[in-house]
Amino acid sequence: MELTAEKKLWMYRKMYEIRCFELEVDKLFKANMIWGTCHLSVGEEATAVGAIAALKEDDMITSTHRGHGHCIAKGGKLPRMFAELLGKETGYCRGRGGSMHIADIETGNLGANGIVGGGIPIATGAALASKMKKDGKVTLCFFGDGANNQGVFHESLNIASLWKLPVVYVCENNQYGMSVAFKKSTAAENVADRAAAYNMPGEIVDGNDVEAIYFAVKKAVDRARRGEGPSLIEAKTYRWLGHSKSDANVYRTKEEIEEWKERCPIKRYRAKLVEEGVATEEELDKIEKEVEREIQEAIEYAKNSPEPSVEDIADGVYA
Amino acid sequence: MAEKLYIEALREGLREELLRDERVFLLGEDIGIYGGAFGVTKGLVQEFGEERIIDTPISEQAITGIAVGAAVAGMRPVVEIMFFDFLTLAMDQLINQGAKIRYMFGGKAKVPMVVRAPMGCGTGAAAQHSQSFPGVFAHFPGLKVVMPSTPYDVKGLIKAAIRDDNPVLFAEHKLLYRVKGEVPDEEYVIPLGKADVKRKGKDVTVVAGSIMVLRALEAAEELEKEGIDVEVIDPRTLKPLDMKTIIDSVKKTGRVLIVEDDPVSFGWGAEVAAGIVGSEAFDYLDAPVKRLGGLDIPIPYNPNLERHAVPQVEDIVKAVKDLLR
Ligand SMILES: Cc1ncc(C[n+]2csc(CCOP(=O)(O)OP(=O)(O)O)c2C)c(N)n1
Ligand SMILES: [Mg+2]
């Protein structure tokens, strides 16, 4: 398995896109332009991008409350994402869902989720549909370390293994479920260890190494596509910012945060690409500039979009 | 008397019961060092330690069931479910187990536990973090349901709920946490099952619960300027429901509006309406019983849509005027 230069640069671009998107959201939030709450994935970009890079375009994903990165990596359009966060009619959910519910059925994104663990059986069900329809698709299920203690995680993995469903479970272990450290919430040493209980492969990867994630997920996706059943992959990573809008970080130390920032997945990958001669610093700068411009254009689009009309408030409750 | 925030009064109530009875303990997600998602339990872990203020994994069904088990075995647990919406994950343990154990076991067990949860929209948290449905729980025999609207009430009622020998669902509207009100310095407990007349009036009765009490009171002020005298009744507990206070008021005014935060269709307001028309108050009615509540839609994210999803002050003003037409 080799990654093409094109794919590598795509991964770099997407990680950078996610980083910029999240930082802009943070700014908009602080400027009171975004309502409600949102969970940012700064520091965790490699997991979303590396995992989704291993999928085919029409494969499916389920996402989480911390889902902006998944949506972007899966091909989500920045203008429609910003529009959703600004509650506009042109947003992915017509301004009705907001950050925690961005979904894009067209690109196979079955949705972020406000319920921790809520997406796990849904991914499993999508995989069942693929098996029944024989459409050859694989579903990638993202969830956090906190979610691995919900009953529905265990129930779903058991069923997926039993029925050999084409689903890959990717745990983004960022060391905390809100304020609760992984060690205080989980009796197993690793989430991946739990795979053994459901008779499926479990693998731990460096969640800040985009290529390592790509290769681990690719292996699992290929296996699932061959009809050999699910896998569980645990990507060890770290959330740089607070859990959600308000978080004084009382549950962790500054040193710990700084230590993880040293392992920035984007900076690391940039150095690797230059070292390998895949791109020059100038070429990477050019990509970054392009992304920054796209982000600003997307924000403008969102700001200039219309609000949903109150007359349509009850649209879409039933099919 | 001192002015206190709802959240402070609630915390005081919890703290006093923790001090009073060592069987009382708190469990929930992020209630320790973080102090709870809304800050209700701030400072309690420092005072009572991790053995009594327990941070749990994200496992709503298990922690609710663990509270049931601990209660049956002699403790008095208070569970915090981070958002009311997540109560759906704990339904089996609350409804099939906690609420039924006493009766199923021939009245030989007690399940003294409280499940607290913040409900309601108005914060832009969208469909899965904004629902109010205390009425659903009032449907189930064996559970009690409380939804305090003021700092005074929340303190007195949390103490009563903790002392009650039955499972109690305690619904806190998140917009109430920052509301101020008078709270006595001396200890007091408010019995479950007693409605409170929040404002006396002679023209129209408004029965409102939780956040809607505040909106009804605001509407009453506006209506007073137009010479309309509104009586506002807060049931405070949905189960047991104090129909007598409501019926007495309707007999006096002859007109009634019921306002709830739950989606209006199949909401608790229908129960209150049925209680009125099935009572002697029926003969005193000068207008059909009127109801306001949430629209029959999931709570939308956009702030303007969200505002329209549940009754606001102006909706109550208009509905009262309609009743008098
Ligand atoms: C069923 C449920 N319980 C609790 C919450 C509140 N909550 C939202 S995110 C979160 C932490 C989730 O941790 P994890 O799964 O590790 O994801 P992370 O936030 O770290 O990305 C909690 C407790 C929720 N949204 N849903
Ligand atoms: Mg986590």
Side-chain angles (χ1 to χ4, degrees):
Chain A
M1 278 194 296
E2 264 302 309
L3 278 163
T4 62
E6 191 191 351
K7 188 118 186 169
K8 289 180 180 182
L9 291 174
W10 179 87
M11 294 205 294
Y12 185 76
R13 172 186 284 266
K14 285 291 151 183
M15 286 200 290
Y16 192 71
E17 225 172 279
I18 295 170
R19 174 70 55 93
C20 290
F21 183 90
E22 298 291 55
L23 293 176
E24 287 297 330
V25 170
D26 199 36
K27 276 194 219 158
L28 290 167
F29 204 91
K30 285 173 178 148
N32 281 327
M33 297 213 32
I34 293 180
W35 173 233
T37 193
C38 54
H39 307 82
L40 304 178
S41 63
V42 176
E44 306 181 40
E45 297 88 352
T47 307
V49 172
I52 287 171
L55 294 179
K56 289 187 180 165
E57 206 169 312
D58 62 356
D59 283 336
M60 296 178 281
I61 66 163
T62 60
S63 171
T64 68
H65 57 285
R66 203 174 300 289
H68 301 161
H70 309 144
C71 187
I72 291 172
K74 194 70 179 75
K77 301 277 178 293
L78 301 175
R80 298 195 61 196
M81 291 179 70
F82 275 117
E84 187 56 36
L85 294 178
L86 265 54
K88 298 299 180 76
E89 182 67 31
T90 53
Y92 269 119
C93 313
R94 301 180 63 201
R96 283 146 175 82
S99 168
M100 272 189 293
H101 304 294
I102 292 185
D104 181 13
I105 302 293
E106 268 172 43
T107 58
N109 178 357
L110 304 188
N113 212 306
I115 301 298
V116 169
I120 302 175
I122 294 176
T124 310
L128 173 64
S130 287
K131 187 178 175 185
M132 295 174 97
K133 296 193 321 193
K134 298 187 176 61
D135 63 11
K137 292 185 194 177
V138 171
T139 301
L140 202 64
C141 173
F142 287 106
F143 61 99
D145 51 294
N148 105 100
N149 295 311
Q150 286 285 26
V152 79
F153 164 81
H154 298 269
E155 297 174 30
S156 299
L157 265 68
N158 179 58
I159 290 174
S161 182
L162 197 62
W163 297 349
K164 289 205 181 327
L165 300 180
V167 52
V168 177
Y169 300 100
V170 178
C171 179
E172 298 174 293
N173 185 348
N174 58 10
Q175 317 301 326
Y176 291 89
M178 212 156 146
S179 72
V180 179
F182 179 62
K183 287 214 173 342
K184 279 188 75 180
S185 77
T186 304
E189 200 154 318
N190 303 290
V191 175
D193 297 348
R194 292 184 160 171
Y198 305 109
N199 197 19
M200 66 172 79
E203 194 173 337
I204 299 171
V205 288
D206 177 349
N208 286 10
D209 179 344
V210 71
E211 291 192 3
I213 297 152
Y214 169 82
F215 287 119
V217 174
K218 183 77 169 64
K219 194 168 78 182
V221 166
D222 290 346
R223 180 177 189 273
R225 223 185 292 282
R226 287 195 304 269
E228 292 167 26
S231 308
L232 171 60
I233 290 162
E234 176 182 9
K236 307 260 194 199
T237 181
Y238 199 79
R239 144 167 81 68
W240 288 13
L241 305 180
H243 167 74
S244 62
K245 56 172 178 179
S246 54
D247 184 342
N249 284 319
V250 289
Y251 50 86
R252 55 182 185 177
T253 63
K254 277 207 178 64
E255 291 73 45
E256 185 186 281
I257 300 173
E258 288 311 315
E259 206 178 292
W260 274 93
K261 281 187 178 174
E262 292 294 305
R263 292 183 241 172
C264 172
I266 299 177
K267 228 195 275 170
R268 259 170 83 177
Y269 201 45
R270 187 181 169 106
K272 184 166 193 259
L273 292 179
V274 172
E275 197 188 295
E276 284 180 354
V278 176
T280 62
E281 298 276 4
E282 293 68 37
E283 283 163 345
L284 295 174
D285 285 345
K286 193 167 155 264
I287 291 178
E288 293 186 2
K289 287 278 160 306
E290 275 170 28
V291 168
E292 285 161 24
R293 202 185 53 240
E294 280 168 24
I295 295 263
Q296 290 311 321
E297 284 168 7
I299 294 174
E300 276 315 299
Y301 170 85
K303 284 183 179 167
N304 295 328
S305 286
E307 294 274 332
S309 133
V310 175
E311 274 139 60
D312 304 335
I313 194 169
D315 268 14
V317 179
Y318 295 100
Chain B
M1 281 275 197
E3 280 254 303
K4 287 197 178 122
L5 294 174
Y6 186 99
I7 196 169
E8 293 167 343
L10 172 58
R11 188 185 304 132
E12 263 183 25
L14 291 167
R15 186 173 169 270
E16 287 177 15
E17 292 309 296
L18 281 157
L19 286 169
R20 178 181 167 272
D21 184 344
E22 62 185 23
R23 296 170 301 173
V24 176
F25 69 100
L26 272 45
L27 73 167
E29 294 158 15
D30 303 279
I31 65 167
I33 181 75
Y34 198 85
F38 291 88
V40 172
T41 55
K42 255 199 188 112
L44 295 181
V45 73
Q46 286 84 347
E47 184 173 358
F48 297 99
E50 289 186 357
E51 297 239 311
R52 292 182 76 198
I53 313 295
I54 307 174
D55 262 343
T56 68
I58 307 169
S59 308
E60 286 79 9
Q61 178 167 211
I63 61 181
T64 305
I66 284 165
V68 172
V72 171
M75 300 296 283
R76 302 187 88 85
V78 181
V79 176
E80 174 173 301
I81 296 290
M82 195 183 287
F83 283 79
F84 206 83
D85 312 67
F86 313 157
L87 279 164
T88 55
L89 283 81
M91 285 301 233
D92 171 58
Q93 289 298 325
L94 199 53
I95 309 276
N96 293 328
Q97 316 295 344
K100 297 188 173 51
I101 279 181
R102 182 174 176 78
Y103 185 82
M104 286 191 305
F105 294 2
K108 293 202 183 83
K110 281 194 284 197
V111 192
M113 63 183 277
V114 179
V115 179
R116 304 176 28 243
M119 65 177 180
C121 66
T123 66
Q128 295 172 340
H129 286 71
S130 299
Q131 299 168 85
S132 291
F133 49 91
V136 167
F137 294 91
H139 187 67
F140 295 103
L143 270 185
K144 294 188 178 180
V145 181
V146 186
M147 44 172 203
S149 66
T150 65
Y152 175 82
D153 286 351
V154 78
K155 182 171 177 189
L157 287 166
I158 192 68
K159 288 166 69 85
I162 292 172
R163 294 181 196 188
D164 199 280
D165 277 337
N166 300 285
V168 179
L169 191 274
F170 202 81
E172 303 155 10
H173 197 291
K174 44 181 100 93
L175 296 185
L176 292 173
Y177 285 139
R178 302 282 144 204
V179 170
K180 270 198 167 159
E182 293 285 318
V183 179
D185 299 322
E186 62 277 11
E187 201 195 2
Y188 65 98
V189 177
I190 300 172
L192 306 184
K194 279 228 170 339
D196 188 39
V197 180
K198 289 282 190 260
R199 185 188 203 274
K200 281 209 170 306
K202 59 178 186 350
D203 297 332
V204 182
T205 300
V206 175
V207 181
S210 191
I211 186 78
M212 292 303 160
V213 174
L214 271 63
R215 294 191 188 151
L217 288 170
E218 222 179 291
E221 301 248 304
E222 277 187 35
L223 288 158
E224 190 182 63
K225 291 178 206 151
E226 302 183 34
I228 301 167
D229 193 14
V230 177
E231 177 146 303
V232 177
I233 307 231
D234 176 1
R236 298 198 290 198
T237 61
L238 281 181
K239 201 169 203 174
L241 180 61
D242 176 7
M243 274 309 297
K244 178 161 186 314
T245 304
I246 296 168
I247 288 166
D248 287 348
S249 174
V250 176
K251 278 161 69 178
K252 182 174 76 178
T253 61
R255 291 182 162 84
V256 62
L257 168 69
I258 305 156
V259 193
E260 61 187 304
D261 198 39
D262 293 39
V264 74
S265 78
F266 299 87
W268 58 260
E271 183 68 26
V272 172
I276 294 166
V277 300
S279 77
E280 72 265 24
F282 182 72
D283 289 333
Y284 295 79
L285 284 173
D286 296 322
V289 174
K290 202 169 173 67
R291 294 181 60 207
L292 279 180
L295 300 181
D296 223 357
I297 61 169
I299 301 296
Y301 166 67
N302 174 282
N304 191 35
L305 296 189
E306 184 187 30
R307 222 185 150 271
H308 281 83
V310 292
Q312 302 295 337
V313 174
E314 63 267 23
D315 302 313
I316 300 174
V317 169
K318 183 177 174 298
V320 168
K321 286 184 181 168
D322 287 349
L323 263 180
L324 285 161
R325 193 160 289 152

